[in-house]
Amino acid sequence: MTLRQQIASGELPGGTRLAEIPTAQALGVSRMPVRMALRILEQEGLLVRAGARGYTVRSVTLDDIVAAVEVRGVLEGLAALRAAERGLDQVADTALRQCLADGDALFAKGHLIEGDIAAYEDMNIRFHEVLLAAGGSQAIREALMRNDHLPFASVKALAADKNDLEREFRRLNYAHMQHHAVYDALAKGQGARAEALMREHANATLAYTDLLSGLSS
């Protein structure tokens, strides 16, 4: 859902007013799907009613975001623990290796261009989705889906400073090196290590709270 992604990424910050007709016009769709989407997002807690016909994006604090990132670390850590203990099947192993190769190619040139941010985000999402599937727990998936409703909590909502690509190279390259370490632990069946590494991988985001606080309310 486009609106959910815009809220999660901070493109629509807390306090933004959303009305059915202008939102439908901006998205180039009819009013009915927008009306349904707004109601769903209200039920999920992302929007609050603002009069009879409008909504506002719910404001969240930096503390809310930090807590949500920490929760993601716990849940993804548990998925990594289960994946390591279960053992990677050939499909998961191949998919994770491909993610590592794609990331290696991205960082091999020693710098990033603006388009690389989207390429990294795509690879990162694939890595996390494969790991989550390898964990084999619907309960973890559902818990993550609920947690992901908060802005910036989802792995699909990468906050990046495109005006400082040198910094982003260092940050994302470090995150990718963590991907390598996680895969190594998974491949060796080291559950406790995989869990700890995934928690650290999520929590590393918190070293860049300036990116988050600049977009939250």
Side-chain angles (χ1 to χ4, degrees):
M1 182 185 294
T2 301
L3 287 175
R4 184 186 289 111
Q5 178 63 18
Q6 289 177 338
I7 294 171
S9 67
E11 185 178 343
L12 293 175
T16 300
R17 180 68 181 260
L18 293 177
E20 186 179 305
I21 295 177
T23 300
Q25 292 173 340
L27 296 176
V29 298
S30 65
R31 293 172 58 182
M32 182 59 68
V34 170
R35 181 181 306 165
M36 295 176 62
L38 293 175
R39 289 175 180 173
I40 290 171
L41 293 173
E42 181 191 18
Q43 293 170 357
E44 293 177 352
L46 291 177
L47 300 179
V48 293
R49 282 277 185 177
R53 296 181 179 273
Y55 299 83
T56 58
V57 177
R58 183 168 70 90
S59 296
V60 296
T61 66
L62 182 58
D63 283 345
D64 293 330
I65 296 170
V66 168
V69 170
E70 291 173 339
V71 169
R72 176 160 62 87
V74 171
L75 292 171
E76 289 189 330
L78 180 56
L81 170 65
R82 287 174 53 87
E85 292 180 343
R86 289 158 56 94
L88 295 175
D89 61 28
Q90 187 60 51
V91 172
D93 185 79
T94 299
L96 290 174
R97 284 178 178 271
Q98 185 61 57
C99 289
L100 297 181
D102 290 346
D104 290 347
L106 191 65
F107 295 109
K109 61 182 179 293
H111 65 276
L112 294 178
I113 59 175
E114 186 171 327
D116 290 337
I117 301 296
Y120 175 85
E121 185 174 19
D122 175 72
M123 178 277 296
N124 188 51
I125 290 171
R126 285 188 283 119
F127 184 92
H128 284 251
E129 287 181 343
V130 172
L131 184 145
L132 188 60
S137 171
Q138 185 62 29
I140 295 175
R141 282 179 172 277
E142 291 176 354
L144 269 171
M145 287 176 61
R146 289 191 293 271
N147 189 65
D148 284 352
H149 291 160
L150 276 177
F152 317 113
S154 172
V155 72
K156 297 180 180 180
L158 178 66
D161 184 357
K162 296 181 180 179
N163 295 315
D164 192 349
L165 292 177
E166 183 177 348
R167 181 198 194 196
E168 290 305 313
F169 176 87
R170 295 193 301 270
R171 180 171 76 98
L172 299 181
N173 187 44
Y174 174 70
H176 185 56
M177 291 303 99
Q178 290 180 314
H179 288 162
H180 275 278
V182 169
Y183 172 76
D184 183 71
L186 293 172
K188 293 177 179 176
Q190 298 171 337
R193 177 174 170 237
E195 180 179 21
L197 286 167
M198 279 307 294
R199 286 197 183 198
E200 173 58 27
H201 183 54
N203 290 339
T205 305
L206 303 180
Y208 295 86
T209 53
D210 60 308
L211 290 175
L212 305 181
S213 60
L215 295 170
S216 61
S217 303

